[in-house]
Amino acid sequence: MKFDSIKGDSAQYRMLMIVFAAMAVAGVGSTWWAIEKGLWVTGMYNRVPWGLQIVMAVYYIGLSAGSLVISGLYGVFGKQEYKPFARIAVYVATLFLIAGLLSILTDQGRMDRVFVEPFVYFNLQSMFSINPILYIGHILICIVYLWALFYEKKTLTKVIATLAFGWAFCVHTGTGAIFGFGARVLYESPLLPAAFVAAAMASGTALMIVLIVGLFRFTKRHLDDELIVWLGRFLAICVIVVLYFLFVENAYRAYVVELRPAAIYYLFGGFHSVLFWIGLILVGLVTPLLILFRKTTGQSVPWIVFASCLVIFGILCERYVIVLPGLTHGSEIFPGMHITQSVVEEGIASYDISYVEVLQALGVFGVVAFMFGWGLKYLKLLPSEARVLHSSSTSDSAGNKT
Amino acid sequence: MDRRDFLKTAGGTLLAGTSCAYAFRFLTSAGWASADIPSSGKKWGMIVDLTKCREGCTACMDACRHENNVAHFGDERWDIHWIKKVKVESQVGHKTMEKNVMLLCNHCDNPPCAQVCPVQATYKRDDGIVIIDHHRCIGCRYCMIACPYNARQFNFRDNEEWPNKDRPKRSHGVAESCTLCAHRLDVSRMPACVEACEQVGAGALLVGDINDPDSNISKIVTTGAVKRIREDLGTEPKVYYIGL
């Protein structure tokens, strides 16, 4: 099997790269504005101290972990027919982890201290200290993994792929624990880290389906439909697991008397509830499931790609409805009583996404999309073809040495 | 030694040195920030007597803001209050009860904010005061998420006011909360809020050493007539309320 890069001389490619660069510049500009003016310009405030950037960070880290799982189909499970996608999957995993880290970085009050203090004074009791260790390990593993794939190091690929596969689970478990081990009513849940892993696998698989089909179609390479159909089935299973976790989580909250008000707020309490029911449940999970399980649409690549796009959108909504309602709901300082007068906002708080946050989020996406485009042109990421291997004696054809 | 050997040796030494440094940090991480400070044997606590707190009085809030240069923009979203007064309503049978309650950092014995701080900028002093090193805080705001009392705030904006030149000007990008006026307690002065409450003649606030059995605060706490907010959380707050 041969891998090569794209020429990158088409007008579409150039146009896309210009758009991504412009997005990145907008992101840098809005972040500079937030540093210069103070983080208040993002719309966050003392009652809602985290906003869209944290939502995006969690989302990107999930996409990264999920992409790595797809690369594991070849590296860990030795499924030779998925070898063509392994390089792209690991490269995307690396880029999206960088995106996650950039999102976190741009959200800090003192960015100038982020590169020193957390590594000098780390606190192993804090999920915020444990996670950077996981993220840096994740990036290093991805780089070694890519190197092993590029230079066709079979044994190293298997070892590092297995490590990466396990690490990806740990990474997103850790990310989920930031919230799940937190003291807020709508965060606190031992299920959350596992639910995060499920969401990561769903969104990562969906992203890989869209990317693979898109890239193969645009560069006119042969791609056997069966490979995508199988990934579609895998995606359907991930979506079912996500739904299952969501159901258990919310059923528990609705069942326990003490948590019922929080459950009602979560499910029927405002904009986030609309995102939950419409964006996540209906559009992001149930509709893709119907598409993937129907015989005609579940076998059709365009339909599977459409379902994947819906899942990518749905999981973004899921990240929002995890991060924000937990903050707007607030802490119960006086159980059984309520605060009627205060100098600050008490009770249920409000939160609106600001244009600064949107620009920052687009900027981070622009950076990684540009790096992805650059990688396609200068790295041998794309295979010449991807075919189903029908014989069991699959010999690995010599890959080209870069 | 050729270049390769040199790089190997240098890399190995660097790795080993870093590992040793981090291993040392692991082993001494608990309370390392105050490791060199001799123990005073004190444990500061506060009593808030709600029965003495006067309707409409904001003396403690004003004094705190002036003493510590606490940021105030006239916008409740970004205003900072190290101490704040809220009205709490509860239903007792057919009767609706209303109380004024002062809320501030509880200087917990098990502070969740210090547990989650990724750079140990928030730490508990030997005398029990939970405090933030503003020169180390990276502004991640995880402590705000962890604090069950909403006592933590963040400088989302730059504050131009600087009424008390003896205390640092507040800068944006770091978390804030009540320090129990540690700078005053360290020189045997009472916190600004306590002093202000005394001056208006209410005397609703009292700060003292809980470890000293003869202190006023100890005598009141041991009567059992005090309550703490959300004792069920296991944070062991050191702000006690009379009449809550």
Side-chain angles (χ1 to χ4, degrees), chain A residues 102-166:
Chain A
L102 277 176
S103 302
I104 295 169
L105 172 70
T106 53
D107 189 64
Q108 302 307 299
R110 291 297 303 260
M111 274 183 237
D112 52 319
R113 296 175 182 170
V114 170
F115 298 99
V116 178
E117 263 73 0
F119 303 101
V120 178
Y121 305 107
F122 63 77
N123 169 13
L124 270 187
Q125 293 183 345
S126 166
M127 273 300 152
F128 252 26
S129 262
I130 293 166
N131 271 278
I133 297 169
L134 292 169
Y135 298 154
I136 287 161
H138 185 92
I139 284 194
L140 291 176
I141 288 168
C142 282
I143 290 167
V144 176
Y145 194 175
L146 266 181
W147 184 84
L149 285 170
F150 275 117
Y151 287 92
E152 301 283 343
K153 309 277 184 195
K154 276 195 168 179
T155 313
L156 179 62
T157 298
K158 195 156 182 62
V159 170
I160 201 80
T162 310
L163 180 64
F165 195 77

Side-chain angles (χ1 to χ4, degrees), chain A residues 34-51 54 107-111 113-114 117-129 132-133 177-179 181-184 187 258 327 330-346, chain B residues 22 25-26 29 32 55 61 76-81 83-91 98-99 101 103 112 114-120 133-142 144-150 152-158 171-174 227 229-230 232-233 244:
Chain A
I35 295 168
E36 199 59 27
K37 292 282 167 192
L39 275 181
W40 70 281
V41 297
T42 60
M44 292 185 285
Y45 60 110
N46 279 314
R47 269 299 315 277
V48 186
W50 283 349
I54 293 292
D107 189 64
Q108 302 307 299
R110 291 297 303 260
M111 274 183 237
R113 296 175 182 170
V114 170
E117 263 73 0
F119 303 101
V120 178
Y121 305 107
F122 63 77
N123 169 13
L124 270 187
Q125 293 183 345
S126 166
M127 273 300 152
F128 252 26
S129 262
I133 297 169
I178 288 173
F179 302 91
F181 295 4
R184 303 258 170 165
Y187 282 171
E258 186 190 342
L327 298 175
S331 308
E332 192 75 76
I333 303 175
F334 301 105
M337 311 179 197
H338 65 278
I339 298 173
T340 54
Q341 205 180 310
S342 176
V343 283
V344 297
E345 192 176 14
E346 304 283 357
Chain B
Y22 276 120
R25 179 56 51 75
F26 274 126
S29 64
W32 71 272
E55 186 69 42
M61 291 164 67
E76 65 169 22
R77 286 173 297 175
W78 299 295
D79 278 351
I80 297 203
H81 302 276
I83 182 167
K84 67 181 179 193
K85 195 169 184 171
V86 299
K87 226 181 205 57
V88 178
E89 200 178 74
S90 59
Q91 203 69 31
E98 254 196 355
K99 287 178 194 138
V101 183
L103 287 174
Q115 186 194 326
V116 303
C117 180
V119 294
Q120 298 188 61
D133 180 346
H134 291 118
H135 299 284
R136 195 191 290 171
C137 172
I138 57 170
C140 73
R141 310 187 289 290
Y142 201 18
M144 298 169 74
I145 310 293
C147 175
Y149 304 103
N150 281 351
R152 289 249 154 170
Q153 287 125 89
F154 181 79
N155 282 312
F156 281 98
R157 307 172 67 159
D158 239 336
S171 62
H172 88 245
V174 291
K227 264 190 193 170
I229 299 177
R230 294 304 307 265
D232 58 309
L233 298 174
L244 183 64

Side-chain angles (χ1 to χ4, degrees), chain A residues 268-281:
Chain A
F268 312 104
F271 173 68
H272 63 266
S273 308
V274 176
L275 270 190
F276 176 83
W277 289 110
I278 308 291
L280 172 58
I281 301 292

